[in-house]
Amino acid sequence: MVRTILMKYGELILKGANKRSFEALLCNRIKARMRRLLGEDGFEFECMQSTLYVTPKDDSMVEEAYDDLKKIFGIVSLCISYRAEKNIDDIVKVATKHIPNHIKSHRSFKVDARRSDKTFPLTSPEIMSIVGGELSEVCPDVKVDVRQPDIVVRVEIREKYAYIHAGAEHGAGGMPYLSNGRGLLLLSGGIDSPVAGYMMAKRGVEIDAIHFESFPYTSERAKEKVIALAKCLTKYTDKVRIHFISLTEIQEAIRDNCEEDYFTLILRRFMMPIAERVARRYGAEALITGESIGQVASQTMSALAVTDCTVNIPVFRPCIGMDKEEIVEVARKIDTFETSILPYEDCCTVFTPRHPRTKPILEKVEKAERGLDREALIERALATETELIVER
Ligand code: ATP
Ligand code: MG
């Protein structure tokens, strides 16, 4: 038995002159993943007519390869198919041997056939009728229903082989990773920011991360948690570079010199420009945060305006219109949720004001931070930068 994973990348990304580079990026990512998993010569790869083919040489690795390929952005759907020689006898033989396992738990099925090789001696309706008839004999309890079948068996006659499968699944969707510039993700230990990173990565944006720590107010475990979250993202991105910056001096300066109600806002007015400078240094063209409108005091419309005006770089907030439950749903899907809810402190949760301002006025915030030498504090914070590359 030879099984091939078939993947479709859909028509969306085929628009315009970018088609070739998208396709090349996608193929390279798939090959790199498969090389890691199966070894340099452990698989066959082909790309033809908007379909990508991966055939692991060791068939026992097919499921693992399939799970890996499900996390590649840009793939719309995928399935595990059985490969047959391009003659009807072999197609029937392969179909009747392997497809019953897939359809026997269903009430009805139909066979759909497609020939991209028009020289194949049978027409699509002929293939459907022959394969459908043979399968009916092997699975007499599963009815043929061409209108509303529970499951569709597909026979695809391609250039070199015929492929037979039943039940394609959704792929990771989105656009090929690295196809849309680089962004710097403000990664906290919370639920929202890893989701924000995932959502932008899905659109093809390369993700670098920045994490602010506040030792000794935040702990080594809080840092490890952030590394674990970045590790989850690497299932999609392969690697994530994290820049760590200490905010201890800034937080103490805020505590000692500013009005308490503004603590969080002022802190955020430091985080953003520091992130902007790190972004520029490493070629990121936007900041990404996990903010959602109205979720906490610092995420009201006016609070966001008061922090946004400290930077001159686009700030993307893909969770902005999502409810917490919706964000949690994605967090569970990408396996970050259980790590995110570990109860370690974040720099945003030390020195939190009892009565944070939800409708801050810029002039008042500026007045509250007048006692701080912003530029010097930012420079010294930037000097604390350390870097870690997390790999899959
Ligand atoms: P999250 O669940 O992602 O922590 P949150 O709801 O707790 O978000 P805040 O703590 O107000 O919200 O943070 C808002 C956003 O600011 C986060 O989504 C993240 O992008 C960024 N952020 C917060 N704390 C940090 C940190 N220590 N380092 C880097 N970015 C941070
Ligand atoms: Mg947080």
Side-chain angles (χ1 to χ4, degrees):
M1 163 172 75
V2 178
R3 289 186 295 170
T4 298
I5 300 164
L6 300 190
M7 291 158 279
K8 305 254 155 100
Y9 52 77
E11 297 305 311
L12 259 186
I13 62 168
L14 295 180
K15 289 196 183 123
N18 288 334
K19 174 185 165 170
R20 266 175 195 284
S21 64
F22 282 144
E23 210 176 61
L25 270 172
L26 192 56
C27 292
N28 285 343
R29 288 198 77 68
I30 291 172
K31 284 191 271 187
R33 285 237 160 161
M34 293 299 103
R35 258 184 234 122
R36 261 181 92 120
L37 181 70
L38 306 167
E40 186 70 39
D41 301 316
F43 63 100
E44 289 168 30
F45 175 83
E46 259 176 312
C47 171
M48 280 176 293
Q49 295 165 326
S50 305
T51 306
L52 305 158
Y53 301 73
V54 167
T55 311
K57 290 188 180 160
D58 173 0
D59 187 72
S60 71
M61 293 300 288
V62 166
E63 279 75 15
E64 221 173 302
Y66 184 72
D67 283 344
D68 225 2
L69 294 168
K70 266 183 161 171
K71 295 194 172 65
I72 301 233
F73 293 131
I75 293 173
V76 174
S77 70
L78 70 175
C79 67
I80 298 176
S81 72
Y82 299 90
R83 195 166 90 178
E85 297 301 325
K86 271 170 69 175
N87 62 67
I88 193 67
D89 290 345
D90 201 48
I91 292 169
V92 166
K93 190 173 131 202
V94 171
T96 50
K97 180 160 181 211
H98 300 293
I99 296 298
N101 274 336
H102 296 269
I103 65 173
K104 68 185 176 201
S105 58
H106 295 274
R107 278 171 311 181
S108 60
F109 80 100
K110 80 166 183 181
V111 176
D112 194 17
R114 235 170 271 168
R115 303 177 311 159
S116 54
D117 171 9
K118 302 293 182 202
T119 65
F120 191 76
L122 297 171
T123 64
S124 298
E126 286 168 342
I127 301 168
M128 292 185 230
S129 127
I130 295 171
V131 176
E134 296 283 344
L135 280 173
S136 283
E137 282 193 14
V138 189
C139 304
D141 295 336
V142 192
K143 300 280 164 278
V144 174
D145 179 348
V146 291
R147 280 169 204 276
Q148 274 194 312
D150 284 354
I151 186 162
V152 179
V153 176
R154 295 188 194 278
V155 181
E156 304 192 27
I157 314 289
R158 298 283 184 153
E159 197 181 317
K160 291 188 186 157
Y161 297 100
Y163 300 90
I164 306 149
H165 55 95
E169 290 186 290
H170 290 296
M175 302 179 81
Y177 192 59
L178 305 182
S179 67
N180 253 331
R182 180 183 295 155
L184 183 65
L185 169 68
L186 282 80
L187 182 60
S188 69
I191 296 169
D192 309 329
S193 46
V195 168
Y198 161 80
M199 289 171 75
M200 295 305 292
K202 182 175 175 187
R203 296 304 302 161
V205 176
E206 181 179 7
I207 302 295
D208 265 17
I210 182 168
H211 178 70
F212 297 103
E213 50 194 358
S214 203
F215 193 74
Y217 306 107
T218 64
S219 64
E220 193 59 34
R221 286 197 304 185
K223 183 172 182 170
E224 278 158 17
K225 177 180 174 184
V226 168
I227 296 170
L229 290 172
K231 185 94 179 162
C232 294
L233 291 180
T234 65
K235 285 186 208 148
Y236 299 90
T237 65
D238 289 339
K239 72 175 184 204
V240 171
R241 177 162 50 191
I242 315 178
H243 307 276
F244 293 95
I245 299 268
S246 169
L247 288 185
T248 310
E249 189 194 354
I250 290 175
Q251 289 200 272
E252 288 175 342
I254 295 173
R255 179 196 60 191
D256 296 343
N257 294 288
C258 304
E259 193 187 322
E260 183 187 317
D261 294 1
Y262 292 109
F263 278 3
T264 310
L265 269 181
I266 295 175
L267 180 64
R268 299 196 64 78
R269 283 168 53 84
F270 277 97
M271 290 164 91
M272 298 298 272
I274 292 172
E276 177 179 13
R277 292 190 205 188
V278 171
R280 298 210 184 277
R281 196 181 285 173
Y282 290 89
E285 296 165 276
L287 304 182
I288 301 162
T289 81
E291 288 157 313
S292 156
I293 195 86
Q295 195 188 73
V296 288
S298 60
Q299 294 173 27
T300 62
M301 190 96 67
S302 26
L304 291 174
V306 162
T307 48
D308 258 15
C309 66
T310 57
V311 292
N312 203 357
I313 187 170
V315 182
F316 296 140
R317 300 179 168 93
C319 302
I320 197 75
M322 293 167 81
D323 294 341
K324 198 73 186 185
E325 294 91 272
E326 292 168 327
I327 299 173
V328 165
E329 197 182 313
V330 181
R332 286 190 193 281
K333 184 174 104 178
I334 63 172
D335 268 344
T336 52
F337 183 72
E338 297 301 328
T339 306
S340 289
I341 58 174
L342 295 173
Y344 308 138
E345 61 303 300
D346 179 62
C347 69
C348 283
T349 59
V350 294
F351 311 141
T352 43
R354 279 160 293 182
H355 307 291
R357 293 294 166 107
T358 54
K359 289 189 180 159
I361 294 163
L362 181 59
E363 290 71 29
K364 292 197 175 165
V365 183
E366 284 172 343
K367 197 170 153 204
E369 63 189 18
R370 209 176 277 162
L372 305 176
D373 184 348
R374 279 183 59 88
E375 189 53 36
L377 285 166
I378 289 175
E379 279 304 323
R380 287 201 293 276
L382 282 166
T384 67
E385 191 208 333
T386 55
E387 188 188 299
L388 180 76
I389 292 178
V390 183
E391 292 194 69
R392 195 155 166 266

